[in-house]
Amino acid sequence: MMVRELMSRPPVTAAPALPLPDAAHLMKSRGIRRLPVLDGETLVGIVTDRDLREAMPSKVSTLSPWEATTRLAAISVEDVMRRSVLTTSEDSDARDAAYTMLQHKVGALPVVDPPGNWWAC
């Protein structure tokens, strides 16, 4: 089986400047745990639900809800995304992609074409 048969379409993506609360809302409303980050057509990073949780203020924080919201709105996806992203191509064998995911302990591989342009996840 080829990767192209397993790809999600249309892909849900984010721009690097997207504020963190907007990214969290997008991921929750779409029921996804990973959000590829694109600069134009180029994949520049990926942000996960774990990355977002780690950036959120602690429940035992001394910040008021207003202060926490204000500070969080100043953080963008670019500030917390992972810049080193493992990828695959749509012509790759799905078993090879699965092996790569297991070896590197990642839950998804964005699918890109040779110049690095985004396709799906």
Side-chain angles (χ1 to χ4, degrees):
M1 179 180 294
M2 303 306 282
V3 168
R4 80 172 62 86
E5 298 170 43
L6 303 171
M7 295 183 341
S8 300
R9 294 196 187 228
V12 179
T13 64
L18 184 70
L20 230 48
D22 295 347
H25 176 74
L26 177 62
M27 291 170 73
K28 185 175 182 179
S29 68
R30 296 293 186 97
I32 57 176
R33 298 185 317 172
R34 294 159 202 89
L35 192 58
V37 182
L38 301 181
D39 186 2
E41 292 288 316
T42 304
L43 180 68
V44 294
I46 193 164
V47 66
T48 67
D49 57 346
R50 182 178 182 179
D51 299 328
L52 295 180
R53 281 193 314 272
E54 289 176 355
M56 299 290 178
S58 166
K59 292 186 188 239
V60 295
S61 172
T62 59
L63 296 174
S64 72
W66 182 84
E67 289 174 309
T69 301
T70 302
R71 288 188 183 184
L72 198 55
I75 301 172
S76 68
V77 166
E78 185 174 37
D79 297 326
V80 299
M81 72 181 186
R82 298 165 194 250
R83 296 175 190 279
S84 178
V85 182
L86 292 171
T87 62
T88 190
S89 69
E90 67 176 334
D91 294 326
S92 295
D93 187 283
R95 290 174 295 199
D96 293 338
Y99 180 76
T100 298
M101 291 168 61
L102 284 170
Q103 287 296 108
H104 294 278
K105 298 179 180 163
V106 296
L109 289 177
V111 180
V112 296
D113 68 9
N117 291 334
W118 164 259
W119 286 101
C121 188

